Amino acid sequence: MTGAALLGQPWQARARRLNHAARQSLGVLVDTTLCVGCRACELACNEINVDLPIRPEGYFKDTSVFERRRRMDASAFTVVNRYQPEPSGAPVYVKFQCMHCLNAACVSACLVSALTRDATGAVVYDENKCIGCRYCMAACPFQVPAYEYTSVLTPRVRKCTFCFNTRLANGEIPACVAACPMRVMSFGLRDDLITLGRERIRKNPGRYVQHIYGEQEAGGTAWMYLTPVPFEQLDLPRLGYHPLPGYTEPIQHALFKWFLPPLGLFAALAGAMWYNKRKTKQSGNDIS
Amino acid sequence: MKKILATIVVFAGACAFLLAAVPGPAAPDTPGACSADNETAAGYILLREDVLTRPAVIFNHEKHVCALGERACADCHAKKADGSLVFKFPKNHPDTDDPDSLMQAWHDGCIGCHSERAQRKEPSGPRTCGQCHVKDRKSMAFRHMPVLPSYYEPLRDTYHGDCIACHSEPLRKAEHAPVLDWKKFHILRSTLPEPEQPPSGFDYQRHYKHTRTLEKDCGLCHYLSPEKRQAIEKEGKEPECRDWLLEPDPEGSWREQDYAHARCVNCHFARVTAGEEKAGPLMCSGCHTPEVRTPEQMQDVARPECEQKETILITSGDAAVMDAVPFDHAAHQLRTTSCQDCHHNGLQACRECHTPTGDEKGEHITLAQAYHREHAGRSCVGCHNRQKQKGECAGCHHQLPATLESKSACTACHSGSLEALQRKRAPAAPESLLPHDTKDSWHIEKLGTDYEKVDFKHLAMAKALAAVSEKSSLARYFHVDEMAVCASCHHYSPLEKGKPVPACRTCHDAQPTAAASRPDLMGAYHQQCLGCHQKMGGTEEKMPHTCEGCHAAR
């Protein structure tokens, strides 16, 4: 079942089916307490996505990039940032990439179904369908999709692919997960990862915030985080647990349900016209 | 005049007063040098408002003290009949939360004084609204903070430049474009929760200075109820340390902040007036210093003289189910910053409030919990757990579960006799624990295509860890098992002297598997080695943090 097939369905039914799909879908649990900021994931991402710019050797060894907070752009699908929650404490490194939401705002916002959520859990982008409206960029609560502003003729929206075509299709795990020497990321069925995350929290009280970020945020995401400090301190935005499309779709879908509201509007207008015309006729003051 | 709904709050985070004190080194004995340009947080008081037609006033307390002189406290603060000061502003504080009367009182206090001084042709302060309620970037930044995550910060000027550049003449002006109202992009600081209050900074060094200067007159600061004093005098004794209470306020009606200012500053003030040489600071920044002293920095400071024996045997006083715990009180005094690190309510024994079954006096925390709560600030186990996460200890302990589940955990403390404190244990040399055929060092191979094999110096590492363990008195006491140091890497394995241990690959798979509760072999090595190196915080040469530090690139 793809996101496209789901798009036409009423919201509640769709949510139910998505929740069912979520249990089957894949995910990644990022344990930020383990990350040492080696940027091997950034390197692996750059290598597997061959259309990303080729970087000089040693580019991904440079730790001076941690001086500022970076964001994903058209040339990098994942970035690692360094945070210093306590001035004298240990730094915390956080890897950012597309969160692959279970009920993604970008998928809902896309006019042409260029973005779809695959049953594996990956939110996949089809550049052949994309018309470049960039609604997905406005919709994403994590500000992930980037745009190739430098490309004049064929600009694309760029974001992490979950290695959907390059590795998942061959039964391999995503490149960044495989490359991480510290095994910060665990890959598997999303349900199993939630169990794993809860177990880690339970076994190491005091080490983690007692919540898996992404388990419920924005209706749940495929990529989830365990952190040692409150999420806001690591630029993981505070979001409600309700899926974002759930706020807009009921209105939009109700407006055009069976095309009845528009028909009703036209009927009302026609009625008003007819009534006015009759009134004018009866009064006999035809000015034309 | 527009009705103003204002709540004037002294902003705890920026304010200087004691409750929000940043604990720090002792104040200089002489009142600090006067500096009106003191830009540190202490010295400024932000008069914060929730709804106010004018911007908040950023009040520079230090500047006023400098201008009026340190002894002019009574110019602004009320004086009681006994001559002591009440540190509320203004003098005729209406003692209400009504915003209008508060505003009136503040305006009378400030503008009244400024006007009087101006009439006397003395240097004076502002008298018009806009001079105190300054609407500038600083006051706005105090009041509002951007809603965007901090990684937008480097781009702030670009945003401002780009947006405002278009919204100026001849286009629609920024102030006429409702969408561009900057307040829509910021939140009021007052809607955020107050910062948590740090603990009081009255440590051993400050106590020692006060004892020395005040010639051990405990009653100047501590409190003893008249009944208790009579009872003690009847027995013909002097009051002991544990008889004195910290809290001098029998009704418990004062806040600690009021109490500290009323007691400390009034006493200092009286001593300054009396011309005492060592009077104590009067300025905010004299007590509210940002640094925190560690027990190590106070090793040479004499601890308060108390009647407590150096070592005691702690029993539950009840039908004991566990053996008693020998406790070295003197050693613990050297490793804390103040008595209150453990004795949070007077200096009595724990069991006086925390009864074996728990009752209201001890907030229903039983005696056993008071000693054993794993994450409590003052329990034995809680504090030891925190020590294990510090410095070199954290290398191994951050990976080991901090629980009481291990078999030897109970008997390590509950040994039943004071002799355990004296036990001298000759540490086992690591080489004597290894199976005889273990090599001193070897290569870890199979490292893929990018890196050379790792030269792993097993014996040297075991020796280094044993040395770390020997250095700490806490570790010396608790690493009873001779294999304790080995267990830091060979976790969860059965360990016996001279017996080979199971290889890492026994439990750790060669390849990552889906949602595995254990990392694969590569993850296990990196988490174990690099995790420990990072936590121990050694140099790159001794404990490499980078890839090439352990294995050269191919």
Side-chain angles (χ1 to χ4, degrees):
Chain A
M1 175 172 29
T2 63
L6 292 165
L7 252 172
Q9 294 165 5
W11 149 246
Q12 284 87 354
R14 200 183 145 204
R16 270 201 299 280
R17 298 184 70 168
L18 267 176
N19 283 340
H20 174 70
R23 277 202 280 283
Q24 305 298 321
S25 72
L26 296 166
V28 175
L29 180 70
V30 186
D31 186 341
T32 55
T33 62
L34 293 173
C35 184
V36 294
C38 71
R39 299 181 71 201
C41 49
E42 290 187 41
L43 170 68
C45 180
N46 185 269
E47 282 176 348
I48 194 79
N49 293 298
V50 286
D51 48 353
L52 288 180
I54 295 163
R55 302 296 192 188
E57 199 170 336
Y59 178 85
F60 289 102
K61 292 256 169 205
D62 180 15
T63 52
S64 66
V65 293
F66 294 131
E67 313 266 301
R68 60 186 191 87
R69 307 281 164 78
R70 294 177 298 151
R71 284 181 59 192
M72 283 75 79
D73 57 29
S75 63
F77 293 169
T78 184
V79 291
V80 179
N81 280 339
R82 182 175 63 196
Y83 297 86
Q84 196 75 46
E86 286 164 34
S88 56
V92 180
Y93 296 92
V94 186
K95 175 187 184 291
F96 293 95
Q97 73 296 306
C98 173
M99 302 285 279
H100 297 278
C101 307
L102 302 190
N103 191 350
C106 59
V107 172
S108 170
C110 186
L111 301 172
V112 291
S113 298
L115 281 158
T116 50
R117 183 180 180 277
D118 185 81
T120 54
V123 173
V124 187
Y125 170 71
D126 182 352
E127 61 185 69
N128 296 320
K129 286 186 186 164
C130 179
I131 53 169
C133 69
R134 286 163 282 158
Y135 280 10
C136 50
M137 294 170 66
C140 178
F142 303 101
Q143 287 141 20
V144 168
Y147 198 62
E148 286 182 323
Y149 287 105
T150 46
S151 170
V152 180
L153 294 175
T154 56
R156 291 170 294 178
V157 167
R158 309 307 318 269
K159 72 165 200 70
C160 157
T161 63
F162 215 156
C163 291
F164 181 68
N165 290 321
T166 44
R167 290 178 63 101
L168 286 195
N170 308 331
E172 291 174 303
I173 64 176
C176 52
V177 179
C180 177
M182 290 294 278
R183 296 292 185 244
V184 170
M185 292 162 272
S186 309
F187 177 81
L189 283 181
R190 190 172 174 274
D191 249 22
D192 295 346
L193 293 173
I194 291 172
T195 314
L196 176 68
R198 288 183 186 160
E199 192 178 296
R200 282 198 196 164
I201 291 174
R202 188 181 63 77
K203 277 193 180 165
N204 302 283
R207 180 166 175 175
Y208 300 108
V209 172
Q210 310 267 309
H211 179 80
I212 305 173
Y213 186 89
E215 183 187 345
Q216 301 186 64
E217 272 73 11
T221 57
W223 281 68
M224 295 170 290
Y225 289 80
L226 290 176
T227 68
V229 292
F231 306 117
E232 296 88 66
Q233 294 181 24
L234 304 176
D235 285 345
L236 291 168
R238 186 185 290 198
L239 297 169
Y241 292 167
H242 197 64
L244 297 180
Y247 292 111
T248 50
E249 283 182 7
I251 302 169
Q252 290 179 330
H253 292 185
L255 275 180
F256 293 95
K257 191 145 194 178
W258 310 120
F259 211 64
L260 280 180
L263 281 179
L265 176 69
F266 289 132
L269 286 173
M273 219 168 108
W274 173 80
Y275 177 74
N276 279 336
K277 202 163 180 188
R278 208 182 65 159
K279 220 163 71 176
T280 323
K281 230 180 209 173
Q282 278 174 353
S283 63
N285 292 335
D286 197 345
I287 52 161
S288 59
Chain B
M1 186 182 155
K2 240 185 188 174
K3 179 161 169 114
I4 301 167
L5 293 166
T7 321
I8 299 171
V9 183
V10 176
F11 187 36
C15 117
F17 286 169
L18 190 80
L19 191 57
V22 196
D29 276 339
T30 51
C34 215
S35 150
D37 304 322
N38 192 343
E39 283 290 333
T40 54
Y44 276 108
I45 301 169
L46 177 69
L47 311 177
R48 195 174 69 160
E49 86 287 48
D50 289 333
V51 188
L52 201 61
T53 46
R54 287 194 175 266
V57 175
I58 301 168
F59 176 78
N60 192 336
H61 186 266
E62 209 104 331
K63 192 173 177 178
H64 281 77
V65 180
C66 290
L68 299 172
E70 285 172 10
R71 293 161 201 210
C73 302
D75 286 8
C76 301
H77 298 294
K79 233 180 189 168
K80 283 201 280 193
D82 61 357
S84 66
L85 290 158
V86 181
F87 288 98
K88 276 183 176 172
F89 179 81
K91 270 185 202 174
N92 51 347
H93 192 276
D95 263 327
T96 163
D97 288 335
D98 173 43
D100 281 341
S101 3
L102 271 175
M103 181 189 74
Q104 207 55 50
W106 279 79
H107 284 168
D108 289 349
C110 299
I111 307 171
C113 181
H114 291 175
S115 308
E116 276 176 31
R117 288 180 66 87
Q119 274 175 6
R120 294 204 300 269
K121 302 261 160 62
E122 286 177 55
S124 171
R127 276 169 290 161
T128 55
C129 312
Q131 285 174 297
C132 286
H133 296 277
V134 184
K135 191 174 185 176
D136 59 4
R137 282 189 86 117
K138 198 168 165 188
S139 71
M140 286 294 120
F142 258 125
R143 195 178 168 196
H144 298 274
M145 55 191 292
V147 287
L148 290 175
S150 50
Y151 53 69
Y152 281 98
E153 204 58 7
L155 290 172
R156 188 185 55 196
D157 290 343
T158 317
Y159 285 138
H160 286 175
D162 287 356
C163 304
I164 297 164
C166 283
H167 283 277
S168 52
E169 298 290 359
L171 280 166
R172 205 167 186 201
K173 274 181 150 182
E175 54 262 40
H176 298 139
V179 216
L180 259 195
D181 181 6
W182 65 268
K183 281 181 191 154
K184 293 230 164 87
F185 300 95
H186 295 74
I187 42 176
L188 273 178
R189 237 175 241 279
S190 53
T191 58
L192 299 175
E194 293 276 332
E196 216 174 280
Q197 290 147 353
S200 158
F202 205 87
D203 55 19
Y204 287 134
Q205 183 154 330
R206 280 191 187 175
H207 191 271
Y208 171 67
K209 278 190 161 177
H210 281 81
T211 330
R212 197 184 49 189
T213 315
L214 304 175
E215 290 157 1
K216 294 186 188 167
D217 190 353
C218 305
L220 283 173
C221 303
H222 295 285
Y223 174 74
L224 193 65
S225 69
E227 303 86 55
K228 196 160 188 183
R229 188 184 284 276
Q230 266 183 357
I232 293 168
E233 277 170 5
K234 222 180 220 174
E235 289 176 36
K237 283 190 203 161
E238 285 285 302
E240 293 183 353
C241 276
R242 66 181 62 188
D243 297 325
W244 294 98
L245 277 179
L246 284 168
E247 183 59 70
D249 169 25
E251 294 93 36
S253 57
W254 284 358
R255 290 181 304 146
E256 196 182 343
Q257 182 182 342
D258 298 336
Y259 152 62
H261 286 127
R263 298 279 290 199
C264 304
V265 189
N266 269 320
C267 184
H268 294 178
F269 196 73
R271 289 177 66 86
V272 170
T273 320
E276 294 272 356
E277 196 183 324
K278 289 182 174 176
L282 292 177
M283 307 282 277
C284 312
S285 53
C287 297
H288 295 270
T289 41
E291 299 89 22
V292 184
R293 253 190 305 267
T294 61
E296 288 74 36
Q297 288 169 319
M298 289 190 288
Q299 285 300 303
D300 303 331
V301 178
R303 299 302 193 247
E305 286 173 23
C306 58
E307 297 77 21
Q308 183 65 59
K309 281 189 219 143
E310 286 204 351
T311 55
I312 44 169
L313 205 56
I314 302 176
T315 56
S316 66
D318 213 1
V321 281
M322 283 297 293
D323 285 336
V325 176
F327 179 73
D328 192 340
H329 189 264
H332 282 81
Q333 273 191 310
L334 282 176
R335 284 168 184 84
T336 45
T337 53
S338 81
C339 301
Q340 282 168 284
D341 282 9
C342 303
H343 297 278
H344 51 109
N345 195 10
L347 294 175
Q348 318 93 309
C350 309
R351 64 166 165 267
E352 286 189 23
C353 299
H354 299 292
T355 57
T357 48
D359 61 15
E360 212 159 297
K361 200 177 167 201
E363 289 176 0
H364 296 286
I365 295 168
T366 62
L367 188 60
Q369 280 184 337
Y371 288 128
H372 295 101
R373 276 196 162 188
E374 287 190 29
H375 305 291
R378 292 190 178 93
S379 77
C380 306
V381 176
C383 186
H384 285 175
N385 276 346
R386 274 205 310 285
Q387 302 304 320
K388 288 193 282 188
Q389 298 303 330
K390 277 187 197 164
E392 289 183 311
C393 306
C396 299
H397 280 285
H398 90 280
Q399 310 225 33
L400 299 172
T403 63
L404 291 169
E405 280 165 25
S406 76
K407 267 186 258 169
S408 60
C410 305
T411 49
C413 291
H414 291 269
S415 59
S417 82
L418 281 173
E419 283 155 28
L421 294 175
Q422 259 69 52
R423 81 177 158 221
K424 289 271 184 292
R425 198 171 38 81
E431 48 271 52
S432 72
L433 303 172
L434 297 171
H436 58 87
D437 57 344
T438 309
K439 283 188 278 183
D440 287 353
S441 66
W442 59 82
H443 294 305
I444 300 173
E445 292 179 50
K446 288 183 190 159
L447 286 180
T449 51
D450 293 341
Y451 292 101
E452 299 287 351
K453 54 197 169 193
V454 174
D455 184 18
F456 182 72
K457 300 187 180 69
H458 179 260
L459 183 63
M461 206 161 301
K463 280 181 174 169
L465 287 176
V468 168
S469 164
E470 277 309 303
K471 219 161 53 180
S472 149
S473 54
L474 190 67
R476 272 205 307 278
Y477 189 80
F478 282 98
H479 289 180
V480 186
D481 186 3
E482 57 186 3
M483 303 295 277
V485 170
C486 309
S488 55
C489 295
H490 299 283
H491 52 186
Y492 309 117
S493 321
L495 292 173
E496 213 178 309
K497 188 178 176 180
K499 289 265 174 71
V501 292
C504 306
R505 64 171 183 279
T506 317
C507 301
H508 296 283
D509 299 323
Q511 293 296 325
T513 46
S517 54
R518 290 186 292 268
D520 68 329
L521 209 49
M522 174 163 92
Y525 275 133
H526 282 116
Q527 284 179 18
Q528 190 83 273
C529 302
L530 206 46
C532 187
H533 288 187
Q534 287 213 324
K535 289 286 170 185
M536 290 182 81
T539 56
E540 174 68 28
E541 196 187 337
K542 272 181 97 176
M543 296 176 204
H545 289 25
T546 58
C547 312
E548 287 78 11
C550 290
H551 34 58
R554 240 176 215 177

